[in-house]
Amino acid sequence: MSRDITNAIQGPYRHSWSLLTQLVDTCPDKIWNETRGGWPFWQQVAHTLAVLNFFTLAENEAPLSAPCDMATLMLKVQGACAIGKDAMRDYAEAVRISVDGWLDGISDSDLVKVHTVLSKKIGRDVTFGAAIAMLASHTCYHVGSCDAALRDNGLPGVF
């Protein structure tokens, strides 16, 4: 099973994952619970993790157990149950293990194949290659929002 291309295109996702975990580690508690752009900082992090899990689910696989409800995770409601950093780190580690396992199962020849589970969920054909790109792009979007919250408070961002 050739994985040269698959391994190469994971780079942006791996970088965005690193930035996301840096945000959790560096965000002061005051900002962690502040609402910016309609969503608390912690909720954007939780949402990002939930979507990483969502993008990589197999047929009939349930999402990982999360420290809050699905409506909060999917940004349908503003979360009343602030997730602390330790619980977030635990959830992040479970998501990382799951996503890494999914990525490990993809070969170069799979990149052009349709990821049928994700395609059904979002209503359009998405290849495995595109799904890997989406892992990075969605994560970077929310990292940028959280990074802006840090900078708005006079702190250095993670970028």
Side-chain angles (χ1 to χ4, degrees):
M1 167 165 89
S2 176
R3 291 186 38 87
D4 293 340
I5 299 168
T6 304
N7 289 336
I9 65 172
Q10 289 179 43
Y13 159 67
R14 301 276 180 212
H15 180 67
S16 66
W17 178 265
S18 171
L19 295 172
L20 184 65
T21 59
Q22 286 177 55
L23 283 170
V24 174
D25 291 339
T26 62
C27 181
D29 290 340
K30 175 185 175 280
I31 299 168
W32 183 255
N33 293 308
E34 280 185 2
T35 298
R36 297 292 176 131
W39 307 107
F41 190 104
W42 67 265
Q43 190 173 357
Q44 289 203 53
V45 173
H47 167 76
T48 304
L49 294 169
V51 169
L52 290 171
N53 180 221
F54 175 83
F55 284 172
T56 59
L57 291 174
E59 189 75 39
N60 299 319
E61 183 180 12
L64 293 169
S65 178
C68 68
D69 62 278
M70 192 57 68
T72 300
L73 290 173
M74 291 298 136
L75 303 180
K76 295 185 185 296
V77 298
Q78 193 172 71
C81 58
I83 300 170
K85 288 185 179 186
D86 288 338
M88 193 70 76
R89 284 184 190 101
D90 290 345
Y91 181 48
E93 181 61 9
V95 170
R96 185 196 61 76
I97 290 168
S98 177
V99 172
D100 283 355
W102 180 81
L103 288 166
D104 288 346
I106 297 173
S107 69
D108 289 354
S109 64
D110 293 328
L111 295 175
V112 295
K113 294 177 184 173
V114 173
H115 180 348
T116 56
V117 176
L118 182 57
S119 296
K120 285 181 200 174
K121 289 177 181 176
I122 65 173
R124 64 179 168 85
D125 283 350
V126 177
T127 64
F128 282 95
I132 293 170
M134 291 166 64
L135 295 176
S137 63
H138 183 263
T139 301
C140 279
Y141 172 84
H142 289 287
V143 165
S145 295
C146 292
D147 200 61
L150 294 177
R151 291 178 189 278
D152 286 349
N153 281 278
L155 299 168
V158 296
F159 280 121

